[in-house]
Amino acid sequence: KYSRQIGAYGMETMGKLVKMEVFIQGLRGLGAETAKNIILAGPKRVVLYDPTITTINDLGSNFYLTEADVGKSRRDQASLTLLKELNPRVDVEIADFDPEKDISKLKQFSVVCITEVMNTKYLANVDAVTRESKGAFIYAASTGVSGFVFTDFGKEFIIRDENGEECKQHIVKAVSNSTEGVVMIDDSLGKLVFTDGDFVTFKEIVGMTELNETPPRPIKYVSPMAFSIEDTTKYGEFIAGGIVEQVKVPKPHQYRSFTDSLEHPYVEGGKIPELTDFSKFGRNELLHLAVQTLHKFFDENKSLPKPNDKEILKSYLEAAKVRLEKGKEEKVSWMTNSQDWDEKVVAQVLTWSQCQILPNTSFMGGIVAQEIVKFTGKFTPIDQWMWFDFFETVANIPEDANRIAKNGRYDDQIAIFGNEIQDKLSDLNIFMVGAGALGCEFLKEFALMGVSSRNGLTVVTDNDHIEISNLNRQFLFRINDVKKPKSEVACRVVKTFNKDFKTVDHQTLVTPENSHIFHDQFWEGQDFVINAVDNVKARKYIDNLCTWYGKPLIDSGTLGTKAHSQVICPFVTNCYNDMQDPPEDGVPMCTLHNFPSMIEHCIEYGRDSFTGNFTDAIEDLKKFSANPQNFITELKKEGNVTVQINKLNAIKEAILIAKSEDFNKCIDVAFNAFVELFDFKIRQLLHNFPPEYVDNNGAKFWTGSKRVPSPIVYNIEDPLSFSYVATYSTLLAQSLGIKPKDFDYIKSYTSKLQIPEFKPQVIKIKVNDSDPDDDVMLSSEEEEKKLKQIIEEIPGGKFSISPSTFNPQDFEKDDDSNHHIDYIHALSNLRASNYRITECDRLKTKLIAGKIIPAIATTTASITGLVAYQVLTLLQTNKIDYLRGAYLNLAVNLYIMTEPGPKIETQDKDMDPILFGPVKAIPPKWTVWDKLVLDQGSMTFKQLSDYFMEKYSVEVCIVACNKKTLLLSISKSFKEQLGKNIEEEYARVCDTKIATNYLTLEVSADCTDGATALLPLVKYVFK
């Protein structure tokens, strides 16, 4: 269940987390969101306290309250049952004491978290208790479209891992003897990932041995391939080898009390808090002044201001203004950094402080829950204060907006955005692609915001099914839902949050093949598209559809504690496909096969081995058994005779074993594979390249990333060696339809096997991927003869085993009983041992082999809250100044909101670097949002060409549709093609019936002045 979370936190942090006891006071929106996220994370115990009787507007932010609770149930008691269901491993309970009367009982908790504005005297007392008990105090409040978080982790808190990034290592290439020793890395495996202030350790350095196995030392960045360390002038001369690795060094941090921090959010000379929006310089300090004023109001009135009551705030706003002006005059450090007085900013904090809305509580609830986790020492806690405001989301709401409450669940939202926006929300049609972690959070937000609650409809599609590993972050799912469709369950459950929420689920991929489901009328009926998918290919395709149909798209994604969002607005912003994702780092095949230097290389080799032995090879066997002649015909098309021979030999051996139904033969294969891979292959490598081998230029072969290996002789008492043979033989037997025997039998059998004598061969070993293959060239007659010989050796003449006998292994990382990860783990660590690479635990093998993306509920909640804000903004305006994309890293408190990039206009160029000539945009400055609509009825290619010449003065050269070329000017049949009907030719070329009344054409043309014309897509309406 916790595998994705462990990928983000690590086992050490999880070990601390499961012992943590948390107290949460306040169960409106922010409290419920915080409780949900921390319960999913899995502490030992979460105690809730909120005796307030549920009101109708609580239902707009606490998703576990119902209309039946209004006026009857305490918030904490009404929320308890569903919060407990989130994670059966966590003890969730209601406090059996009143902390305001018996504050000493808070000492038993690791973290005390208050999520609503309270009396400053009480807050100071709670803070004092937690400081005394060496616990943490977290205080936060969601105040309309703004909010704040305060943390106090005590006088002596130790941050053990500031950023949560995995420690990286490099191969050392050289180290200078100088006052600041410069370390050069082998950059063939990637550029330097260390930065200033990182700590590193060295090992296996030859010559300059003073560096080896010493305490961590700080470094300074020099270049993408070098960094500097201390004075090395008195060290030995560097000769060769070595590894340098990042090390996490614990760092102490001291926190000030709540009382001191409220008065002075940061001290003179201290670190100034980072901005979250660079269009708001000086905003943090003004927001803190608003927080101080809000607490002054609460202390004096024992309540928060009534929403939109301007009269009651007048004296408080005037006092705040005077205080700021005086502070600037007296050069109070934090006040001097504030922007000038802006009454609207402070007034909006105060006047909406009672209002809790889902976008804000979702965003902040992720942050607050993450701060609770940080008490484990993982990640960097907020340095006392963090403030947020999203006032740009209300900047286009008119002053005379109808904000009259309706005594309903949306009243808090109406108080801020008005009934006009609420009506628009209720009629929205939204198409959401994906119902996983992001999708669950979006559905929660849309339901409580009132989206699609009147005439609108939210359509959700996801072809995936629920897995156990989903349960700790996809909060709408329970153990009984495993194996059920995600979209179906999510839509069913979220309707319990708001019975008026109208939603329909599909289990259909959004692909060209399914355009009959998601057709033109469907797309044209959507108001927004929300991307909640986890792969680039799907994002790109959906982005293309949104630009074609002119629909707003909001995209988001997470990776551990990091998240991003991008708002894409028709004819205003750039789109997803305008952004270039960095290419993934690849590992050269020769490195994987012969010269690994990192555990990741070994694990990737193990994953490839699993696929080759138990998936691809068995698929080949299954195909051969179904139709031998057809398989051989297709095999010959692969061209490489060595591959063909190897595949047929493997099939022959597999058939012999399958026909025998003898499990012992499976053990023999596994044992021989062990000897070959970990023993003989290494001996052969050392035979070709002995440890002291030098090349023709006198350069050492075994240097840099090439590590001298050593063979491993099979030892039945070595757990890894035995695990490899046992899992290999078991998986092979399962693949061939043979019943495997238990591991005790395998151990007994292998104890009697003899290791054959190693005899070195004369073979060439590839050192670089560019080296030629050492294949023996055969004539076509010899190839045919060799293949025929192998085919004849396959037993039984006509194949006598049914294809259904064979079971290709479909890699499944989450089933610990299937031996898949165990096989890869044993192989990976044995290979690491061969090459003196530090071995890893099974969890790391699982994370890398399974390509498990670290994922946690906190990050998902935060980013989806920001996306929901963009929906509210786009209902008012599409001006780019008011839109915001986001990048978050909750580990290091990085929250950056930025305007999206503007639409990209196609420009004329005198010299295009790709086409090597002039290009011209036709029509001028068109964007991806534009298309040429050609709706003059059915046309021939000649009529199309004449149209473009007459209207745009360009000569058509190529016409293509759906990646099929329909017209090509350099073709011999060009003149003949000109007379053909466009849609008929497309139907003939694609052998299909056209389901729509138009085709999307890509037209390439030349201008009359010789420039290449750059044209947008053409919508050719033929009927």
Side-chain angles (χ1 to χ4, degrees):
K1 177 176 178 175
Y2 291 124
S3 60
R4 272 67 172 175
Q5 181 171 293
I6 293 170
Y9 292 162
M11 283 302 294
E12 182 181 353
T13 298
M14 280 302 300
K16 294 177 180 178
L17 188 57
V18 297
K19 299 175 184 176
M20 187 182 290
E21 299 189 36
V22 181
F23 182 88
I24 298 176
Q25 183 169 356
L27 263 294
R28 289 202 76 204
L30 179 55
E33 190 70 46
T34 301
K36 177 204 73 175
N37 293 330
I38 195 62
I39 290 167
L40 288 170
K44 178 182 178 182
R45 180 170 169 241
V46 175
V47 176
L48 311 171
Y49 181 75
D50 189 339
T52 312
I53 300 300
T54 303
T55 61
I56 187 66
N57 57 334
D58 290 338
L59 275 59
S61 58
N62 182 330
F63 35 90
Y64 286 155
L65 297 176
T66 68
E67 290 179 4
D69 298 316
V70 175
K72 297 176 182 177
S73 305
R74 288 170 43 142
R75 289 181 193 145
D76 51 10
Q77 290 174 344
S79 305
L80 179 64
T81 300
L82 292 175
L83 285 171
K84 284 171 73 76
E85 284 182 9
L86 286 169
N87 194 341
R89 300 181 184 184
V90 180
D91 294 328
V92 184
E93 57 195 66
I94 306 295
D96 59 1
F97 64 97
D98 181 346
E100 296 184 48
K101 294 178 180 176
D102 194 353
I103 201 167
S104 64
K105 288 193 174 179
L106 294 177
K107 290 181 180 180
Q108 63 187 291
F109 297 100
S110 316
V111 179
V112 174
C113 178
I114 295 177
T115 63
E116 293 179 26
V117 174
M118 303 203 75
N119 179 278
T120 52
K121 184 177 180 181
Y122 172 67
L123 294 169
N125 289 338
V126 173
D127 184 49
V129 168
T130 57
R131 284 173 74 86
E132 183 185 346
S133 63
K134 297 190 176 353
F137 175 49
I138 298 172
Y139 172 47
S142 175
T143 51
V145 290
S146 63
F148 63 85
V149 183
F150 167 79
T151 65
D152 178 3
F153 280 46
K155 302 173 186 176
E156 302 170 344
F157 185 71
I158 303 295
I159 302 170
R160 302 189 181 280
D161 181 351
E162 289 182 297
N163 56 26
E165 300 293 334
E166 188 174 351
C167 289
K168 304 293 185 182
Q169 64 178 30
H170 288 289
I171 304 296
V172 178
K173 198 172 184 179
V175 185
S176 68
N177 290 95
S178 51
T179 51
E180 283 195 3
V182 176
V183 181
M184 302 291 293
I185 64 160
D186 181 349
D187 61 342
S188 65
L189 297 175
K191 294 181 180 179
L192 184 70
V193 294
F194 304 162
T195 59
D196 281 349
D198 280 354
F199 282 76
V200 301
T201 58
F202 291 87
K203 63 182 179 181
E204 302 177 19
I205 300 287
V206 180
M208 196 179 286
T209 55
E210 293 88 346
L211 296 178
N212 290 333
E213 310 299 340
T214 53
R217 48 172 53 80
I219 64 116
K220 291 182 183 177
Y221 179 89
V222 173
S223 76
M225 61 185 68
F227 62 89
S228 65
I229 53 174
E230 72 273 15
D231 185 345
T232 58
T233 52
K234 295 181 181 179
Y235 294 175
E237 185 177 351
F238 176 86
I239 297 175
I243 296 171
V244 59
E245 184 172 13
Q246 277 178 319
V247 178
K248 303 284 187 181
V249 176
K251 296 183 178 179
H253 191 81
Q254 187 173 5
Y255 290 80
R256 295 182 299 128
S257 70
F258 170 76
T259 302
D260 289 347
S261 298
L262 182 63
E263 182 66 23
H264 297 284
Y266 54 89
V267 295
E268 189 169 358
K271 183 182 177 183
I272 298 175
E274 301 284 350
L275 284 171
T276 58
D277 188 325
F278 288 98
S279 68
K280 301 175 180 178
F281 284 99
R283 178 63 59 84
N284 283 341
E285 290 76 13
L286 189 59
L287 288 173
H288 190 74
L289 181 65
V291 170
Q292 291 177 330
T293 307
L294 180 64
H295 283 86
K296 179 176 170 52
F297 184 99
F298 189 92
D299 287 351
E300 292 176 359
N301 297 277
K302 297 182 173 55
S303 67
L304 293 170
K306 278 184 64 178
N308 301 313
D309 186 343
K310 296 179 181 178
E311 287 300 316
I312 200 171
L313 296 177
K314 276 186 177 180
S315 62
Y316 289 92
L317 293 173
E318 183 59 38
K321 179 182 178 182
V322 170
R323 186 157 182 260
L324 179 65
E325 291 171 349
K326 185 178 179 183
K328 282 180 173 286
E329 197 176 301
E330 295 177 354
K331 300 197 182 314
V332 175
S333 59
W334 66 273
M335 287 186 174
T336 57
N337 293 325
S338 173
Q339 67 176 84
D340 291 336
W341 172 252
D342 186 335
E343 183 171 305
K344 194 171 185 179
V345 169
V346 180
Q348 286 179 332
V349 173
L350 271 67
T351 197
W352 294 327
S353 58
Q354 269 195 27
C355 304
Q356 296 209 12
I357 61 171
L358 239 293
N360 213 56
T361 57
S362 186
F363 170 68
M364 291 189 62
I367 293 170
V368 175
Q370 194 64 60
E371 292 305 301
I372 295 173
V373 172
K374 290 177 184 180
F375 189 64
T376 62
K378 185 83 169 184
F379 310 135
T380 303
I382 290 172
D383 196 359
Q384 306 272 234
W385 288 97
M386 184 160 279
W387 311 266
F388 305 96
D389 84 74
F390 303 99
F391 294 142
E392 68 279 356
T393 65
V394 294
N396 292 280
I397 302 289
E399 285 293 322
D400 60 351
N402 177 6
R403 292 187 166 99
I404 298 173
K406 293 185 174 181
N407 193 32
R409 62 165 65 230
Y410 311 125
D411 280 356
D412 281 7
Q413 195 163 264
I414 289 169
I416 300 171
F417 291 93
N419 279 292
E420 296 86 350
I421 294 296
Q422 193 61 47
D423 289 343
K424 288 183 179 180
L425 284 169
S426 66
D427 293 336
L428 273 184
N429 290 321
I430 289 182
F431 181 36
M432 187 172 78
V433 187
L438 289 165
C440 286
E441 294 290 336
F442 283 133
L443 285 172
K444 170 201 71 181
E445 283 154 16
F446 295 160
L448 269 69
M449 289 168 66
V451 169
S452 306
S453 59
R454 188 168 61 184
N455 298 320
L457 180 68
T458 294
V459 178
V460 183
T461 189
D462 193 324
N463 72 321
D464 203 2
H465 289 69
I466 299 163
E467 301 175 6
I468 290 176
S469 60
N470 300 149
L471 301 183
N472 86 305
R473 66 195 188 285
Q474 300 178 20
F475 83 106
L476 297 179
F477 308 143
R478 300 291 178 267
I479 190 70
N480 293 335
D481 299 320
V482 171
K483 305 298 183 187
K484 295 178 183 177
K486 287 185 176 181
S487 56
E488 177 188 302
V489 175
C491 289
R492 170 174 53 79
V493 172
V494 80
K495 286 177 185 176
T496 65
F497 295 175
N498 183 354
K499 67 181 188 304
D500 296 329
F501 182 40
K502 295 180 177 64
T503 180
V504 169
D505 63 277
H506 291 277
Q507 288 80 52
T508 309
L509 286 171
V510 184
T511 62
E513 293 76 22
N514 292 323
S515 58
H516 63 288
I517 298 172
F518 307 116
H519 41 63
D520 285 358
Q521 293 85 348
F522 172 83
W523 282 99
E524 286 162 2
Q526 302 308 313
D527 298 308
F528 288 97
V529 179
I530 304 293
N531 252 355
V533 295
D534 60 0
N535 68 86
V536 171
K537 184 178 179 182
R539 284 188 167 111
K540 286 179 175 289
Y541 180 66
I542 293 163
D543 182 68
N544 283 334
L545 289 170
C546 289
T547 53
W548 176 258
Y549 290 103
K551 298 299 176 181
L553 168 66
I554 310 180
D555 181 81
S556 56
T558 70
L559 179 65
T561 59
K562 300 170 187 172
H564 81 277
S565 66
Q566 181 184 3
V567 57
I568 299 163
C569 185
F571 303 99
V572 176
T573 71
N574 59 9
C575 62
Y576 182 84
N577 283 304
D578 290 330
M579 316 294 284
Q580 290 293 325
D581 289 314
E584 290 188 17
D585 294 332
V587 182
M589 290 305 294
C590 63
T591 298
L592 285 181
H593 283 271
N594 295 314
F595 308 110
S597 59
M598 301 166 66
I599 190 64
E600 288 82 1
H601 299 161
C602 302
I603 295 171
E604 189 169 340
Y605 184 88
R607 180 70 174 82
D608 289 348
S609 173
F610 177 92
T611 302
N613 289 332
F614 311 120
T615 306
D616 295 345
I618 309 303
E619 288 282 8
D620 287 341
L621 182 57
K622 201 175 180 80
K623 291 175 185 175
F624 182 89
S625 66
N627 192 329
Q629 194 56 53
N630 186 59
F631 178 84
I632 291 165
T633 301
E634 292 298 315
L635 182 63
K636 288 180 179 179
K637 294 178 183 177
E638 294 189 13
N640 189 320
V641 70
T642 303
V643 171
Q644 296 171 18
I645 291 170
N646 288 342
K647 279 194 175 184
L648 286 172
N649 272 325
I651 288 171
K652 180 182 74 173
E653 295 301 322
I655 290 171
L656 285 168
I657 297 170
K659 286 176 73 70
S660 74
E661 298 183 353
D662 185 355
F663 180 62
N664 289 349
K665 292 187 183 299
C666 296
I667 303 175
D668 291 338
V669 170
F671 179 79
N672 291 332
F674 179 97
V675 173
E676 176 62 28
L677 181 59
F678 305 113
D679 191 352
F680 287 7
K681 190 174 180 180
I682 302 299
R683 293 178 192 269
Q684 182 68 51
L685 187 60
L686 292 170
H687 174 76
N688 284 36
F689 306 108
E692 301 303 322
Y693 183 84
V694 295
D695 62 19
N696 294 333
N697 298 319
K700 285 188 174 184
F701 180 82
W702 295 105
T703 188
S705 60
K706 293 189 180 71
R707 301 169 65 78
V708 181
S710 57
I712 299 173
V713 178
Y714 182 74
N715 176 5
I716 199 171
E717 300 303 325
D718 173 44
L720 285 175
S721 299
F722 175 69
S723 178
Y724 174 84
V725 173
T727 55
Y728 191 129
S729 55
T730 301
L731 289 168
L732 181 60
Q734 291 171 345
S735 302
L736 298 178
I738 298 170
K739 185 176 181 180
K741 298 186 178 180
D742 61 35
F743 281 18
D744 288 339
Y745 177 86
I746 298 171
K747 180 170 280 192
S748 173
Y749 183 85
T750 55
S751 67
K752 301 166 188 173
L753 296 176
Q754 297 296 313
I755 298 173
E757 180 186 353
F758 170 71
K759 294 180 181 178
Q761 299 173 297
V762 180
I763 59 171
K764 181 180 178 181
I765 296 175
K766 288 183 70 169
V767 176
N768 299 298
D769 281 359
S770 57
D771 292 348
D773 291 318
D774 193 29
D775 294 338
V776 178
M777 298 300 293
L778 301 175
S779 66
S780 57
E781 292 84 3
E782 288 173 321
E783 286 182 6
E784 192 64 38
K785 183 179 178 182
K786 182 77 172 173
L787 289 172
K788 188 175 180 181
Q789 178 187 340
I790 296 172
I791 293 166
E792 289 174 351
E793 290 174 357
I794 294 177
K798 289 186 177 180
F799 200 69
S800 57
I801 301 180
S802 168
S804 62
T805 302
F806 305 117
N807 307 298
Q809 298 293 302
D810 203 2
F811 178 68
E812 173 51 63
K813 58 189 176 293
D814 291 321
D815 181 358
D816 289 342
S817 67
N818 64 14
H819 304 302
H820 294 187
I821 292 297
D822 293 329
Y823 168 81
I824 296 170
H825 181 62
L827 190 157
S828 304
N829 277 329
L830 285 165
R831 192 160 174 78
S833 181
N834 275 142
Y835 287 87
R836 296 178 295 112
I837 297 167
T838 302
E839 297 172 21
C840 72
D841 59 27
R842 188 179 183 279
L843 175 64
K844 183 166 184 175
T845 301
K846 181 176 179 176
L847 292 172
I848 296 174
K851 296 185 177 178
I852 293 175
I853 298 172
I856 47 179
T858 52
T859 313
T860 310
S862 286
I863 198 65
T864 54
L866 297 181
V867 169
Y869 262 131
Q870 295 311 299
V871 172
L872 287 164
T873 305
L874 284 166
L875 290 177
Q876 307 163 45
T877 181
N878 64 358
K879 290 183 180 179
I880 207 166
D881 308 28
Y882 301 102
L883 304 177
R884 293 291 185 273
Y887 175 78
L888 314 180
N889 187 344
L890 274 63
V892 294
N893 312 308
L894 184 65
Y895 305 95
I896 299 176
M897 322 296 170
T898 58
E899 292 178 11
K903 63 183 180 182
I904 297 175
E905 298 176 336
T906 306
Q907 303 291 337
D908 297 349
K909 295 178 185 176
D910 293 332
M911 174 56 69
D912 183 84
I914 298 174
L915 296 175
F916 294 103
V919 296
K920 187 175 289 186
I922 306 289
K925 296 185 177 181
W926 61 268
T927 75
V928 71
W929 298 102
D930 296 302
K931 54 180 172 279
L932 302 179
V933 179
L934 188 55
D935 58 356
Q936 300 186 2
S938 181
M939 303 176 79
T940 64
F941 288 106
K942 175 71 166 59
Q943 290 170 321
L944 179 107
S945 298
D946 291 346
Y947 173 86
F948 272 89
M949 176 57 75
E950 181 180 338
K951 182 152 189 177
Y952 299 110
S953 298
V954 297
E955 185 176 350
V956 173
C957 303
I958 303 172
V959 177
C961 181
N962 198 22
K963 299 182 180 178
K964 298 287 185 181
T965 301
L966 306 179
L967 181 73
L968 185 62
S969 62
I970 61 173
S971 168
K972 292 179 181 179
S973 60
F974 176 66
K975 290 185 178 179
E976 180 186 340
Q977 288 292 103
L978 284 172
K980 292 183 178 179
N981 175 273
I982 297 171
E983 62 271 23
E984 289 175 2
E985 181 64 4
Y986 173 77
R988 184 192 68 80
V989 169
C990 296
D991 190 23
T992 186
K993 288 184 179 180
I994 304 172
T996 61
N997 69 335
Y998 70 91
L999 291 174
T1000 304
L1001 303 180
E1002 295 178 70
V1003 178
S1004 298
D1006 290 331
C1007 301
T1008 53
D1009 61 3
T1012 298
L1014 301 178
L1015 297 163
L1017 293 174
V1018 176
K1019 183 176 183 179
Y1020 163 59
V1021 184
F1022 55 83
K1023 64 179 180 182

